[in-house]
């Protein structure tokens, strides 16, 4: 069975991983990189090495670009914008939702279909169905190329607004760093009493699955704007965080993260919301009216 032709522009660590995944799945793959030597590895695995951006774009109906930033995307593609007519441009370069929407409008000018992408893995995870790849933009483009994009990882369609993939990407990275921070604090706390990180972490990972259930419950409350404290109220959790802070102080563990949680909970209690669920604290992060 013939496979769709793909072009990959940009062969840093991530771009190289993308090209390798397409090649491994049997897709005829054309590659281009500003530094030609970086294309040698992909060429050795069977990729066609283009001499120019124009040659690379003309080689395929699906053009994937993965470079440093959106300014670099436009620097590469502005001179060949006319060649994008009738093609699908998938931009997995990291940036802001505003940049994604601006680029989608720019791509529509010459008649290209546009998808913005968020890669929710590191290069070694490319090609695994367990890895999420977020896409937003032209619905027809996602439908037409879904099977090809699936060789990179599980393709998640976030809808027509081209900025959503970047918005989810940045939000999810914030979630990741918050989880890492909480895990590192907890691991330091347990480690102060001689518990190895390898012993503590499996229990922590199992606990995260329960935390996920709470998140799903609170999501409905957030959308409805109602926060019934029918599981664990904020005032009960405020008392619990004091135990965490006490344990940390006794062990010399930096308590800035739990102190932030205490501050947010104490403010909600002071405002009369102590009987609400933890989901109420989203109001602390929302813009003031």
């Amino acid at each position: 069975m013939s496979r769709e032709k793909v072009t990959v522009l940009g062969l840093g660590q991530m771009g190289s991983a993308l090209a390798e995944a397409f090649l491994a799945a049997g897709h005829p793959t054309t590659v281009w990189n500003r530094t030609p030597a970086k294309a040698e590895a992909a060429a050795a695995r069977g990729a066609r090495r283009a001499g120019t951006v124009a040659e690379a774009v003309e080689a395929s109906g699906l053009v994937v670009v993965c470079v440093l930033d959106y300014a670099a995307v436009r620097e590469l593609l502005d001179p060949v914008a006319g060649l994008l007519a009738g093609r699908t441009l998938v931009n997995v370069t990291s940036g802001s939702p505003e940049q994604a929407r601006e680029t989608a409008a720019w791509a529509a000018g010459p008649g290209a279909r546009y998808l913005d992408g968020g890669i929710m893995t590191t290069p070694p995870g490319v090609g695994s169905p367990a890895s999420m790849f977020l896409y937003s933009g032209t619905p027809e483009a996602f439908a037409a190329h879904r099977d090809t994009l699936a060789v990179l990882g599980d393709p998640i369609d976030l809808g027509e607004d081209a900025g959503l993939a970047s918005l989810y990407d940045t939000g999810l990275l914030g979630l990741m760093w918050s989880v890492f921070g909480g895990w590192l604090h907890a691991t330091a706390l347990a480690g102060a009493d001689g518990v190895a990180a390898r012993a503590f972490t499996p229990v922590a990972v199992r606990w995260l699955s329960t935390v996920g259930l709470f998140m799903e419950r609170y999501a409905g409350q957030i959308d409805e704007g109602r926060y019934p404290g029918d599981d664990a109220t904020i005032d009960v959790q405020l008392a619990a965080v004091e135990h965490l802070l006490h344990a940390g102080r006794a062990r010399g563990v930096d308590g800035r993260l739990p102190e932030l949680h205490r501050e947010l909970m104490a403010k909600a209690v002071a405002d009369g919301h102590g009987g609400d669920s933890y989901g109420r604290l989203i109001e602390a992060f929302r813009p003031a009216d």
Side-chain angles (χ1 to χ4, degrees):
M1 185 174 67
S2 62
R3 300 282 185 175
E4 182 177 23
K5 294 180 179 180
V6 183
T7 286
V8 177
L9 301 176
L11 295 171
Q13 286 187 324
M14 184 60 76
S16 295
L18 301 177
E20 183 172 343
F22 285 128
L23 288 166
H27 289 276
T29 304
T30 298
V31 297
W32 177 90
N33 193 75
R34 190 184 303 274
T35 304
K38 287 190 175 182
E40 291 177 0
R45 290 190 291 271
R48 175 193 171 197
R49 183 163 44 181
T52 64
V53 174
E55 180 186 344
V57 169
E58 289 181 311
S60 311
L62 178 62
V63 178
V64 179
V65 57
C66 183
V67 291
L68 178 63
D69 53 30
Y70 278 71
V73 172
R74 292 292 298 273
E75 181 183 349
L76 289 179
L77 295 179
D78 269 337
V80 298
L83 299 178
L84 292 171
R87 305 180 196 278
T88 293
L89 175 63
V90 179
N91 180 20
V92 292
T93 301
S94 296
S96 71
E98 290 71 26
Q99 288 175 315
R101 291 168 183 143
E102 179 184 344
T103 305
W106 169 84
R113 299 187 296 184
Y114 182 82
L115 289 174
D116 209 81
I119 303 176
M120 307 312 299
T121 186
T122 55
V126 174
S128 168
S131 298
M132 289 194 304
F133 278 65
L134 311 178
Y135 298 100
S136 57
T138 311
E140 296 81 8
F142 182 83
H145 303 290
R146 186 191 185 285
D147 289 347
T148 299
L149 295 173
V151 308
L152 304 177
D154 185 17
I156 309 296
D157 181 13
L158 298 178
E160 191 169 1
D161 179 353
L164 287 180
S166 180
L167 187 65
Y168 272 59
D169 179 28
T170 51
L172 290 172
L173 286 174
L175 174 62
M176 178 189 73
W177 292 320
S178 296
V179 171
F180 280 170
W183 167 67
L184 290 170
H185 177 270
T187 301
L189 188 72
D193 281 15
V195 179
R198 288 190 179 93
F200 177 76
T201 298
V203 180
V205 171
R206 181 173 176 181
W207 172 236
L208 286 177
S209 65
T210 301
V211 173
L213 296 176
F214 285 122
M215 291 169 60
E216 290 177 348
R217 178 183 302 171
Y218 294 153
Q221 297 179 4
I222 290 167
D223 287 342
E224 294 172 10
R226 295 176 59 255
Y227 309 99
D230 52 8
D231 48 13
T233 59
I234 295 174
D235 51 12
V236 169
Q237 298 201 49
L238 179 57
V241 79
E242 294 292 354
H243 305 319
L244 175 59
L245 286 164
H246 179 272
R249 284 193 297 269
R251 289 159 177 79
V253 174
D254 190 311
R256 283 176 291 176
L257 281 176
E259 284 168 2
L260 173 59
H261 300 312
R262 177 178 62 180
E263 177 186 336
L264 295 174
M265 288 186 269
K267 176 68 164 56
V269 170
D271 290 343
H273 303 302
D276 288 354
S277 77
Y278 199 85
R280 157 71 67 177
L281 295 186
I282 192 172
E283 304 298 344
F285 294 97
R286 284 176 164 163
D289 292 333

